[in-house]
Amino acid sequence: MLVDSHCHLDMLCAQQQLDIADVIAEAKEQAVEHMLCVSVSLERFAPMMELIEPWPQVSASVGVHPDGRDVEEPGVERLVALAQSGRIVAIGETGLDYFRSEGDLEWQRERFRCHIRAARQVGKPLIVHTRAAREDTLAILREEQAGEVGGVMHCFTEDWDTARAAMDLGFHISFSGIVTFKNAVDLKDVARKVPAERMLVETDSPYLAPVPRRGKPNRPAWVRHVAEYLAELRGEPLERLADYTTRNFHRLFSPAAR
Ligand code: NI
């Protein structure tokens, strides 16, 4: 059994005009039996929750992506209120993205701090996105004592030092289809070294489809390609990698297990 630890089912279904029932059935055929549907804005949150409501194999997060500039700004109280539902297992995705945004990015750092404060208040882990901002991301995680709740560095593309610093803070490292790309040489090295008990796998569907589906709209079923690739890279059977990444997921995101 596999888990897709990060996908955007609402965007996939809307963009590709797919029925969520078919997406989930297709995933199950590949032994992908659980997925975490990740929130990117408050505007999209209610429709996302409505979409996944009938599907217990889908859990969800609440948060506002660091890229969204002209969106409803989440306050700590609002996030805390929305995170009360049992379906919400994490806060995010949040973090810093200096690649896609320009100018004074204090608003982004403030938004990130706000998510960390909310996560600590509700005792739920964080889903962190970081791009071209590794120092500030780690500094804010430390300053805001994010280690108290831990979480995951999603779609990891940074170097080994960053991975180690994040793991020291109690974070997991999640690999997406990017690790299967030919030019991701350094990332493959990191993926060989991350200890089994800290690894997760994800699609970030509908983005970042892994080889051999690169360029297509990604779907949760294809987390299997990511897992197969990583198992081969690490020289271990797929079943073993599937087993520990699934256990890690449930340990991190199930309230009962924490
Ligand atoms: Ni995402």
Side-chain angles (χ1 to χ4, degrees):
M1 164 181 178
L2 281 160
V3 175
D4 182 356
S5 74
H6 189 117
C7 60
H8 303 281
L9 288 173
D10 52 336
M11 293 187 216
L12 174 69
C13 290
Q15 286 174 18
Q16 303 302 315
Q17 303 189 321
L18 292 169
D19 189 327
I20 188 171
D22 296 334
V23 174
I24 287 171
E26 181 197 53
K28 196 171 159 74
E29 276 170 31
Q30 299 302 323
V32 181
E33 295 189 11
H34 195 94
M35 47 215 92
L36 203 175
C37 186
V38 174
S39 162
V40 295
S41 78
L42 295 179
E43 288 85 348
R44 286 183 180 161
F45 181 72
M48 180 187 94
M49 292 309 287
E50 199 177 313
L51 177 77
I52 67 158
E53 208 276 326
W55 305 98
Q57 57 276 74
V58 181
S59 42
S61 71
V62 63
V64 179
H65 199 284
D67 283 351
R69 186 64 183 110
D70 297 311
V71 296
E72 188 183 340
E73 198 58 46
V76 175
E77 275 162 41
R78 180 119 167 84
L79 288 171
V80 165
L82 292 172
Q84 295 306 322
S85 149
R87 291 298 285 280
I88 302 299
V89 300
I91 305 297
E93 64 182 279
T94 182
L96 300 175
D97 193 325
Y98 294 171
F99 183 77
R100 276 181 280 194
S101 298
E102 313 186 299
D104 179 5
L105 298 177
E106 189 51 33
W107 61 270
Q108 222 183 54
R109 291 186 283 273
E110 204 39 54
R111 182 184 290 174
F112 185 26
R113 289 182 191 279
C114 180
H115 280 78
I116 301 171
R117 287 169 195 165
R120 290 180 57 205
Q121 261 190 49
V122 294
K124 294 185 182 185
L126 287 151
I127 299 170
V128 175
H129 167 114
T130 182
R131 194 161 179 207
R134 66 182 91 160
E135 277 92 12
D136 284 6
T137 301
L138 290 168
I140 290 177
L141 287 173
R142 283 191 198 103
E143 280 167 31
E144 297 290 338
Q145 298 166 53
E148 200 178 278
V149 287
V152 56
M153 305 302 282
H154 113 85
C155 192
F156 193 79
T157 53
E158 302 292 338
D159 59 10
W160 174 243
D161 285 347
T162 309
R164 218 171 31 189
M167 289 189 284
D168 285 347
L169 280 166
F171 278 70
H172 289 63
I173 308 292
S174 180
F175 293 95
S176 69
I178 291 180
V179 77
T180 70
F181 298 173
K182 211 171 178 176
N183 58 356
V185 181
D186 297 344
L187 186 62
K188 293 182 207 293
D189 242 14
V190 176
R192 276 190 203 99
K193 288 198 243 176
V194 170
E197 63 273 16
R198 291 303 182 94
M199 287 250 302
L200 294 173
V201 286
E202 67 172 82
T203 57
D204 207 10
S205 162
Y207 309 109
L208 300 171
V211 172
R213 315 277 189 174
R214 194 170 176 181
K216 302 218 170 81
N218 199 2
R219 45 215 31 226
W222 298 349
V223 79
R224 190 185 182 104
H225 295 302
V226 179
E228 278 170 354
Y229 188 90
L230 284 167
E232 166 116 43
L233 191 68
R234 291 163 65 90
E236 56 195 31
L238 173 63
E239 299 69 47
R240 192 175 119 76
L241 184 131
D243 184 62
Y244 64 70
T245 52
T246 297
R247 261 187 291 128
N248 293 345
F249 178 89
H250 290 299
R251 198 182 53 238
L252 179 60
F253 293 113
S254 312
R258 274 205 308 278

